[in-house]
Amino acid sequence: MTIDEQLLAWAPEFSAWRRDFHAHPELGYQERRTAALVAERLAAFGLEVTTGVGGTGVVGTLRAGSGNRAIALRADMDALPIEEAGDAPWRSTTPGTMHACGHDGHTTMLLAAARYLAATRRFSGTIHFIFQPAEEGGAGARAMLEDGLLERFPFDSVFGAHNDPLLPAGVVSASPGTVNAASDTLRIRLTGKGGHAARPHQAIDPIVAGAQIVVGLQSLVARRVAPLDSAVVSVCTFHAGSANNVIPEVATLSGTVRTLMPHVQDQMARDIPGLVAELAAAAGVAAEVGYERGYPPVVNDAGAAASFAEAARGVVGAAQVRTTMPASMGGEDFAFYALERPGCFFRIGQADGERGSVPLHHPRYDFNDAIIPLGAALFAAIAARELPA
């Protein structure tokens, strides 16, 4: 592995930054403290800094040489509404909120890259460092684009990173084509007839209807989606009733739908409301179904992915770069950037024995600080390749 000694010398400082972000997590569009620290550090490195882009987003701009091309490097800043179960000294100090997806680490890696590139200037052109709010369901990427990101900070290609607890530390994944699923939201409201739990024949039970719908949705994937296509329907909330001897009048369910191909996304948007209506009618309850299309799939540009993979080989070696990884069914709003410009969303392994192996969105998750210099080196390598001095 080839990482500049300066990045390694700064590693303890980077770790301190990351742990401070971890201890002070902020939800989407509330990243005021995080954004202020990011802006302060970028300014200290000598970058031009613009705040308030798309809400709480920050853009740092760095120029060197006479090149007329520009690239964007992106990190997300927001946390999740999860109560942290870990016991590290830097555990969350905000009840009910934690960095369970590693955005604290992503932010730190990009800050580290900005510091290094500002110090070395081994490129010719312009780099826009995008620190984005609200990736976790808030579509912060779309908000920044709608706030004129491309017009105010034009770039020719865009690169973003995500840590991966399923890959060993030091392994990098950069595959062309679809790498993350489309992410849609499903909401269902069932209205029956309330009554005494001892006399269910005099009521119309929305809980039983909801249970049938949950099972039916899984059958939809198993029996109506082509076996070689992919879809996930997960019902994640089911709320009904407030007493153990009362059949409630209303039940509400919500969940997520993940697909990799546009035609399967279209099929789910069409078939799910139809199935819910049919099952609800059979149970005698009224159904209201909301199906909201969310993030598109992340589709890596073949040229951008190949360019990043070649840059990564110079950092970690050819054996550590994977270019044929299967797509993740997780959603990611980097997709909005990749729809506008050639992009590559790459993954950095962080599993190192027990450290860094806890799954994303788990209450005991923590980012592996050991990969921060690697992430910074990868960002710097693609900048040098895309903007040769």
Side-chain angles (χ1 to χ4, degrees), residues 79-172:
L80 282 157
I82 297 174
E83 185 70 35
E84 183 160 8
D87 56 2
W90 53 88
R91 73 187 306 275
S92 173
T93 59
T94 305
T97 305
M98 72 167 289
H99 274 294
C101 202
H103 297 187
D104 50 344
H106 303 163
T107 297
T108 303
M109 288 192 297
L110 193 55
L111 278 174
R115 182 179 186 180
Y116 177 76
L117 286 162
T120 58
R121 309 269 175 158
R122 294 176 190 150
F123 67 95
S124 181
T126 301
I127 305 173
H128 299 297
F129 298 84
I130 299 172
F131 293 85
Q132 180 206 300
E135 188 280 326
E136 296 289 356
R142 182 169 59 195
M144 294 189 81
L145 289 165
E146 290 175 348
D147 199 16
L149 182 72
L150 280 172
E151 296 75 22
R152 298 161 66 185
F153 312 96
F155 51 85
D156 300 295
S157 55
V158 57
F159 300 86
H162 205 294
N163 74 96
D164 193 337
L166 299 177
L167 290 176
V171 171
V172 179

Side-chain angles (χ1 to χ4, degrees), residues 2-46:
T2 305
I3 298 177
D4 192 295
E5 290 184 2
Q6 182 62 78
L7 281 171
L8 297 175
W10 285 334
E13 195 172 350
F14 297 155
S15 182
W17 295 353
R18 202 283 301 179
R19 293 176 182 187
D20 178 68
F21 288 138
H22 190 92
H24 301 91
E26 297 171 300
L27 298 176
Y29 298 117
Q30 300 174 26
E31 309 95 332
R32 296 177 187 86
R33 180 184 185 273
T34 304
L37 287 171
V38 166
E40 177 184 316
R41 289 184 179 131
L42 292 175
F45 304 155

Side-chain angles (χ1 to χ4, degrees), residues 329-344:
M329 297 307 288
E332 166 59 60
D333 75 347
F334 184 87
F336 292 109
Y337 304 119
L339 286 172
E340 299 293 336
R341 294 290 185 272
C344 177

